[in-house]
Amino acid sequence: MTSLAARYFDGQSSRVHDVAVELLDNRTLRLRGAGIERDEPLEHLRVSPRLARIARTIELADGARLLLDDHPLIDQWFPLHNPLQRWVDRLERHAHAVAASIVVCVLSGAVLFYWGVPWMSDRIAAQLPEQVETRLGEEVLAQLDRFAGLAPSSLDMERQSGLLERFAALKADMPGAENHRLLFRNAAGIGPNALALPGGTVIITDQLVSLVNDDREIDAVLAHELGHQQQHHALRQTLRSSFVIVIAAMFAGDVSSASAVVVAVPTFLLQGHYSREFESEADAFALRTLAERGISPAWFAQAMRTLEAFVSDQGESDDSPGYLSSHPQTRERIDEAEFAGEKFAIEHPELYRERPDYDACAEDGICEDAESEEMDSDEVYECVDDDCERVEPDASLELQ
Amino acid sequence: MTESDDFSLPLAAPPPPPPVPHWPARVQPMPLVEHEFEFSGRGDEYFRIWIVNLALTILSLGIFSAWAKVRTERYFYGNTKLVGVPFEYLAKPLPILLGRIIAVVLFSAYVLAGQFSIGLQLGLALLVAVLAPWLLVRGLMFRARYSSWRGLSFRFVPDYGESYIRFFVLFLPLLASFGLLYPWVKGKQKEFIVDHHRYGTQVFRFLARPGQFYPPYLIAWSVIFAWMFGGAMLFGFGVALLSAGSTSPPPQWIIWAFVVAIYAGYFVVLAFLAAAIANLVYNSTEVGGRRFQSRLKGGRLLWIYASNTVLILVSAGLLIPWAMVRLAQYRASCLSLLARDDFNGIEVRQGQGIDAIAAEVDGLFDIDIGL
């Protein structure tokens, strides 16, 4: 019978006793050392689960304990102890199990962030009472007003009520949109922008109102923001970010003092991912809504171009990124809107006046008199010679 | 015993004279021996444990996390040795599971509340702050009770009143002083934690005065301030230089460079501060006349923190086990215990009966809250 060397502690003092341990018959463990003579029935003993190379402990009924290096015999002595952790230990030592674990972890990480977090957040968003969202929107508005330099609008009342009418026309007979409201703010720090706050509030900045060339561009922007509102994007985004923070913090909690960085980077990346998803949803909603209201979706592309031109005017040095930076992949979005615009033109030939490239002079003969004609003569020629529909909207923008 | 507050070594008081009056007078006190802590864990080995336990936690929807925690703690305790004897972590998974459920609920509620209403979040924060000193004592008791070495468990002697003073009441002067008292409060808190620990009959004592926490913090604050001030000067200078003669705003990269530089500065200072505070706490801790010696280097710790952060980010978290092992290895390699005895004479505290009853009552709240 093999005996194992162990260190014995009586549980009353820190003294180390070197002992030899062996199985006497199949029911008794025998301890022998200087001054130690104990025979203990196995059923009174508890053994610590096997774990990597760390020492094993056998606890005696009176609080004494044996510390011994890991050895296959130990688990033979106690075949029925710690079945769960014994199985886990086998997995930890098994290359295939480790490989499978890596796959499980990476896959569930991906599933969690691509589907799990959005799904959980949306379930919660659907459950939350409306007042929570409204309250959240009020908080955000108060914070924006206080910290983001939003000032009362300097647009005159007439202009404001004109835009409010357009907003009301857009949201008319939209389900659940009765309480959506439009607010005007002068925001030099933010620049031309529109925001959808939780709970139905849409903010449009004076800078955006004065940048656009046609109010139908504002319609396009407002329809996009209404899309955010109708699908509760602000609330859902908030919930998703919260989940990402909680999950990342759980893992990176005590790994390094840089846990803030470790949490911030994935949060930032995932927020970008989620917000792109919401942007395309809101875009699709805006294109649909515009078409339903008899406004060509091409106005959405027009609004995007106006903003794009503004940003590139600002140059790379722009430190107030404004509307577009939160709306990446501008090119693709413009193309989609143009495509929807063409579809609209085919489906509604009678609404040709609603297209951005509609030219009253060429198509309807309603020409402005020469007095107010301050247009570049090149442009006029182009319009006369060429099919006017093919005048590049960009070119007309450059005139501004 | 508390004859000195400086860190120069050796200065541990000799152990109390042996209670044997007729012993020959020429007996010398045992020489002071430095016992180094060893950490024998390995990154590849811990990775297997970590990944398998994480996978099981995922597949069990979080339930297994308590078992995973016990296995992780046992791995790090069992690989940490002093005088060749490993430490042991004895806690059972179920109380940990309960504590984890509570912690996750509280933390989620806190984060969510922050997004909805500052008032709600403040209310929750206040609730946690009111409960925190109690929770802290419970957590310390739990950890001490289930930490063991040479067959004897550690203990944390609860003193809730004192805990509320150090971790609640002291925030008032802290606020009133605009944070200037922070090092002192931190010192008082460390003192409380160390002083209430026991190992058998051996009492832990904190020898530093709370005021000794000022030098590291003052240095850290000054460096941060100088760094930010210098950074802001450079930033302003750079902006002026780059946009001289033009009306366009400064390029974006200079703003990013400024932000990154400020954060990098914080990171560096925090690593050095962590090393200094850990050294101060260990070097001022005495247990039954034995002294700890901690020689963490800020630069080395900074390197470990920074490289760990990069490794974790580029591996999408898969290298977390290596990061943890590296940190534990370095911490252990810098820590030792100076003692004159062979650690064989430490007895369990008298009056076990009272302890047993207390443990039963404690059992009702025997949870490990991981806040």
Side-chain angles (χ1 to χ4, degrees):
Chain A
M1 207 66 229
T2 329
S3 78
L4 300 179
R7 281 175 284 191
Y8 171 83
F9 304 98
D10 61 11
Q12 300 299 311
S13 99
S14 60
R15 180 170 294 280
V16 183
H17 307 266
D18 287 318
V19 293
V21 184
E22 64 179 340
L23 196 64
L24 193 56
D25 40 54
N26 270 325
R27 294 201 315 270
T28 313
L29 202 64
R30 163 162 287 183
L31 281 60
R32 288 294 180 268
I36 310 287
E37 271 189 42
R38 297 186 68 162
D39 292 324
E40 296 291 324
L42 283 181
E43 66 262 29
H44 292 167
L45 306 179
R46 279 200 311 184
V47 66
S48 68
R50 190 170 183 229
L51 176 64
R53 295 162 294 138
I54 72 168
R56 307 290 294 273
T57 310
I58 297 172
E59 259 178 75
L60 282 64
D62 63 352
R65 48 208 301 128
L66 284 165
L67 194 66
L68 59 173
D69 289 340
D70 187 30
H71 192 281
L73 266 186
I74 300 171
D75 282 324
Q76 286 176 29
W77 293 344
F78 304 95
L80 299 177
H81 284 220
N82 312 308
L84 172 66
Q85 294 208 45
R86 192 176 285 213
W87 174 70
V88 176
D89 177 69
R90 271 205 297 277
L91 293 183
E92 286 164 1
R93 292 170 197 274
H94 202 289
H96 291 164
V98 170
S101 298
I102 297 177
V103 173
V104 166
C105 292
V106 171
L107 274 185
S108 11
V111 168
L112 179 67
F113 287 118
Y114 280 88
W115 289 289
V117 167
W119 185 84
M120 278 188 295
S121 314
D122 293 352
R123 288 290 87 65
I124 293 178
Q127 294 298 316
L128 280 177
E130 211 175 297
Q131 300 95 293
V132 175
E133 199 180 348
T134 316
R135 184 91 187 78
L136 176 60
E138 284 164 10
E139 288 283 344
V140 174
L141 180 61
Q143 284 179 28
L144 279 175
D145 278 344
R146 206 174 316 153
F147 301 117
L150 293 194
S153 173
S154 42
L155 298 176
D156 58 54
M157 273 327 197
E158 200 183 330
R159 184 84 177 108
Q160 286 195 18
S161 61
L163 291 172
L164 283 172
E165 268 168 38
R166 303 192 81 94
F167 184 71
L170 274 175
K171 70 170 189 154
D173 61 71
M174 230 178 239
E178 303 80 29
N179 294 325
H180 292 356
R181 56 176 183 159
L182 176 64
L183 297 179
F184 302 95
R185 287 288 188 275
N186 184 359
I190 298 178
N193 210 334
L195 311 163
L197 307 188
T201 302
V202 173
I203 295 181
I204 187 163
T205 66
D206 293 0
Q207 285 72 14
L208 181 62
V209 173
S210 50
L211 179 72
V212 297
N213 312 303
D214 190 298
D215 281 355
R216 283 171 290 193
E217 291 178 37
I218 295 184
D219 283 340
V221 169
L222 291 180
H224 174 91
E225 301 304 328
L226 279 170
H228 283 316
Q229 290 301 356
Q230 287 301 92
Q231 287 148 26
H232 302 271
H233 284 161
L235 176 69
R236 288 159 65 196
Q237 173 82 329
T238 301
L239 288 165
R240 289 176 185 200
S241 312
S242 306
F243 271 114
V244 175
I245 292 172
V246 170
I247 293 165
M250 256 159 48
F251 279 95
D254 37 37
V255 176
S256 75
S257 79
S259 58
V261 181
V262 174
V263 173
V265 171
T267 309
F268 179 74
L269 293 178
L270 283 163
Q271 264 169 3
H273 168 74
Y274 295 144
S275 81
R276 276 195 294 282
E277 180 191 329
F278 285 155
E279 290 311 323
S280 13
E281 273 182 36
D283 280 3
F285 181 91
L287 301 181
R288 221 165 44 234
T289 306
L290 291 173
E292 281 166 16
R293 301 285 185 275
I295 303 165
S296 170
W299 282 106
F300 188 83
Q302 192 66 9
M304 297 290 293
R305 285 202 194 87
T306 307
L307 285 158
E308 198 179 34
F310 171 81
V311 170
S312 60
D313 272 0
Q314 296 281 94
E316 302 128 25
S317 59
D318 173 34
D319 66 311
S320 56
Y323 197 75
L324 285 175
S325 70
S326 56
H327 298 72
Q329 289 148 347
T330 312
R331 207 65 250 166
E332 266 172 50
R333 301 174 66 199
I334 292 179
D335 290 346
E336 296 237 339
E338 290 290 10
F339 181 72
E342 279 162 32
K343 205 168 139 230
F344 177 82
I346 293 165
E347 283 169 8
H348 302 281
E350 76 285 3
L351 292 174
Y352 64 95
R353 288 193 191 84
E354 292 299 328
R355 297 190 321 259
D357 49 11
Y358 163 69
D359 186 293
C361 185
E363 293 179 47
D364 283 346
I366 311 168
C367 296
E368 295 172 60
D369 40 343
E371 230 175 90
S372 63
E373 179 90 58
E374 282 173 32
M375 293 209 134
D376 205 336
S377 52
D378 289 350
E379 178 69 18
V380 178
Y381 276 124
E382 202 175 13
C383 199
V384 174
D385 291 351
D386 231 352
D387 188 337
C388 257
E389 287 175 21
R390 281 170 54 199
V391 169
E392 286 298 313
D394 276 337
S396 62
L397 256 174
E398 277 164 21
L399 298 174
Q400 301 304 309
Chain B
M1 296 285 273
T2 59
E3 86 282 281
S4 171
D5 284 331
D6 67 5
F7 310 142
S8 58
L9 290 159
L11 48 53
V20 197
H22 56 269
W23 200 261
R26 60 186 169 77
V27 90
Q28 298 282 319
M30 302 255 295
L32 194 67
V33 181
E34 179 176 347
H35 302 279
E36 288 180 353
F37 283 79
E38 309 155 50
F39 182 76
S40 51
R42 292 199 319 243
D44 58 331
E45 187 180 65
Y46 178 56
F47 174 77
R48 291 164 162 266
I49 295 168
W50 182 80
I51 196 81
V52 167
N53 284 275
L54 185 58
L56 290 175
T57 299
I58 291 168
L59 295 176
S60 66
L61 301 178
I63 308 291
F64 190 78
S65 75
W67 281 260
K69 152 113 175 167
V70 168
R71 285 185 82 73
T72 298
E73 294 286 359
R74 283 189 61 221
Y75 184 80
F76 280 88
Y77 272 63
N79 276 306
T80 307
K81 299 191 185 92
L82 180 62
V83 210
V85 182
F87 287 81
E88 282 183 81
Y89 184 75
L90 305 174
K92 299 279 170 271
L94 275 177
I96 291 174
L97 182 62
L98 187 59
R100 294 210 140 181
I101 292 171
I102 293 173
V104 167
V105 167
L106 275 180
F107 185 57
S108 311
Y110 178 78
V111 172
L112 286 180
Q115 306 283 3
F116 290 118
S117 133
I118 297 296
L120 195 59
Q121 191 175 35
L122 280 180
L124 259 177
L126 199 67
L127 182 71
V128 171
V130 167
L131 286 178
W134 181 81
L135 286 174
L136 180 93
V137 171
R138 306 303 312 185
L140 288 167
M141 286 171 71
F142 185 92
R143 179 162 279 276
R145 184 182 317 127
Y146 294 118
S147 300
S148 148
W149 185 62
R150 289 179 163 240
L152 296 186
S153 283
F154 290 77
R155 273 182 302 130
F156 185 83
V157 181
D159 184 343
Y160 297 106
E162 199 58 34
S163 177
Y164 268 94
I165 291 175
R166 312 247 175 158
F167 289 93
F168 196 72
V169 177
L170 282 188
F171 281 108
L172 290 177
L174 182 61
L175 285 176
S177 69
F178 300 105
L180 280 179
L181 281 177
Y182 183 78
W184 180 78
V185 171
K186 195 90 191 157
K188 294 294 276 183
Q189 293 176 343
K190 291 284 182 200
E191 182 184 49
F192 169 79
I193 292 173
V194 170
D195 277 351
H196 286 76
H197 270 98
R198 306 283 184 272
Y199 175 68
T201 44
Q202 309 292 297
V203 177
F204 280 76
R205 252 190 261 280
F206 193 61
L207 304 177
R209 280 163 294 133
Q212 283 177 265
F213 280 69
Y214 268 100
Y217 277 99
L218 287 180
I219 293 171
W221 287 346
S222 329
V223 172
I224 287 274
F225 180 77
W227 180 259
M228 287 178 67
F229 188 74
M233 294 264 285
L234 260 178
F235 176 67
F237 185 67
V239 168
L241 203 69
L242 285 164
S243 55
S246 79
T247 50
S248 65
Q252 191 117 41
W253 64 262
I254 196 167
I255 294 159
W256 283 109
F258 178 64
V259 171
V260 168
I262 292 297
Y263 274 105
Y266 266 114
F267 197 73
V268 170
V269 171
L270 280 181
F272 277 86
L273 185 63
I277 295 298
N279 286 342
L280 173 58
V281 170
Y282 276 114
N283 291 333
S284 317
T285 297
E286 178 208 75
V287 50
R290 305 168 195 86
R291 291 287 294 267
F292 286 93
Q293 191 175 30
S294 171
R295 287 163 304 227
L296 290 169
K297 299 259 184 303
R300 184 96 181 96
L301 203 58
L302 171 65
W303 160 245
I304 292 175
Y305 280 154
S307 49
N308 276 357
T309 303
V310 172
L311 289 179
I312 290 168
L313 286 180
V314 300
S315 68
L318 282 179
L319 291 180
I320 286 177
W322 273 271
M324 290 171 72
V325 165
R326 282 178 76 203
L327 200 55
Q329 221 148 28
Y330 180 61
R331 289 230 166 96
S333 73
C334 292
L335 190 63
S336 53
L337 187 63
L338 297 155
R340 290 178 197 279
D341 66 338
D342 56 3
F343 305 104
N344 269 335
I346 303 168
E347 305 273 306
V348 76
R349 193 180 68 138
Q350 294 304 304
Q352 283 291 292
I354 298 161
D355 240 12
I357 293 165
E360 281 306 308
V361 178
D362 287 352
L364 293 174
F365 296 104
D366 197 4
I367 48 177
D368 179 32
I369 309 250
L371 279 176

